[in-house]
Amino acid sequence: MKLVGVSGTLAGEKTPVAVSSVLAAVRHLDPGIQTELIDLRDFEIEFAAGLPLAAYNEDTWNVVQKILSADFLVFGTPIYQASLTGALKNLFDHLPEHAFRNKVTGMVATGLTDKHFLVLNYHLGSILSYFKGLIPTNNVFILNDSFDIETDELTDMQMKERVGKLAKEMIDLQRGIMKRE
């Protein structure tokens, strides 16, 4: 199995650290699962203009293909203005309607205030559902003060435990899907 994590931000370290924490937790639970981080800061994803995928640059093509070839995925975003990032939404606009059929699609978000924790369920979750993704129940919202100020390392033990629960649920759900196929 291969898990791809997508850090959907173009700035900062907290969201890539959060997504990487889920990938590390999955590898800890099952070292046989391959993981890959797609950090949108490392790619030039073109603005979606309704063209066929072949009309876009190599970065856009490669990132979409990595996502489509994954067995399951975890998406991370900081919460800006009660929403996911435009960069992540733009990436979703390049995907086909059934991109996540038979795939678990976990979510992790970072934010300054706990007033935004429902963005995962009510906004990002609805997008992943549209693409036919199976959404776990243990998704994680991480407040910015859960990270070390100087290193951006995730230091909050309760958040680390929640990340571990998300990782375990994702593995279990994806194995269940694959057994049925």
Side-chain angles (χ1 to χ4, degrees):
M1 284 195 308
K2 182 170 185 180
L3 170 63
V4 170
V6 178
S7 173
T9 185
L10 300 180
E13 296 296 326
K14 291 175 181 63
T15 299
V17 167
V19 175
S20 294
S21 296
V22 176
L23 299 178
V26 164
R27 286 191 307 272
H28 174 76
L29 291 167
D30 186 340
I33 296 176
Q34 297 176 334
T35 62
E36 181 177 359
L37 174 66
I38 296 173
D39 187 335
L40 292 188
R41 299 175 302 175
D42 298 335
F43 299 93
E44 291 185 28
I45 307 299
E46 288 188 284
F47 187 76
L51 302 171
L53 187 58
Y56 295 97
N57 68 16
E58 187 175 347
D59 274 357
T60 304
W61 172 265
N62 286 336
V63 168
V64 168
Q65 292 308 314
K66 286 179 184 191
I67 289 170
L68 295 177
S69 68
D71 293 305
F72 60 138
L73 301 121
V74 60
F75 291 94
T77 184
I79 304 302
Y80 298 144
Q81 307 297 343
S83 186
L84 60 137
T85 65
L88 184 57
K89 175 60 172 81
N90 181 60
L91 176 60
F92 288 143
D93 288 343
H94 287 286
L95 300 175
E97 182 179 346
H98 301 287
F100 306 145
R101 182 182 302 280
N102 297 322
K103 296 180 184 190
V104 173
T105 52
M107 301 179 288
V108 61
T110 58
L112 184 61
T113 173
D114 60 3
K115 295 180 188 226
H116 295 304
F117 78 96
L118 290 175
V119 171
L120 283 177
N121 289 334
Y122 293 114
H123 192 48
L124 181 55
S126 64
I127 294 169
L128 299 178
S129 291
Y130 169 79
F131 288 112
K132 312 301 183 241
L134 175 64
I135 299 171
T137 60
N138 285 308
N139 296 294
V140 183
F141 179 83
I142 305 172
L143 287 169
N144 287 353
D145 63 8
S146 299
F147 296 87
D148 182 271
I149 288 176
E150 294 178 14
T151 65
D152 282 324
E153 177 186 343
L154 182 59
T155 55
D156 185 305
M157 291 309 294
Q158 185 179 27
M159 289 299 111
K160 287 182 177 184
E161 288 175 18
R162 293 190 63 211
V163 164
K165 288 179 182 178
L166 172 60
K168 181 172 182 348
E169 182 183 12
M170 289 178 64
I171 292 169
D172 292 345
L173 288 171
Q174 192 61 45
R175 284 187 177 141
I177 289 170
M178 294 175 95
K179 282 182 183 178
R180 293 182 63 206
E181 292 180 335

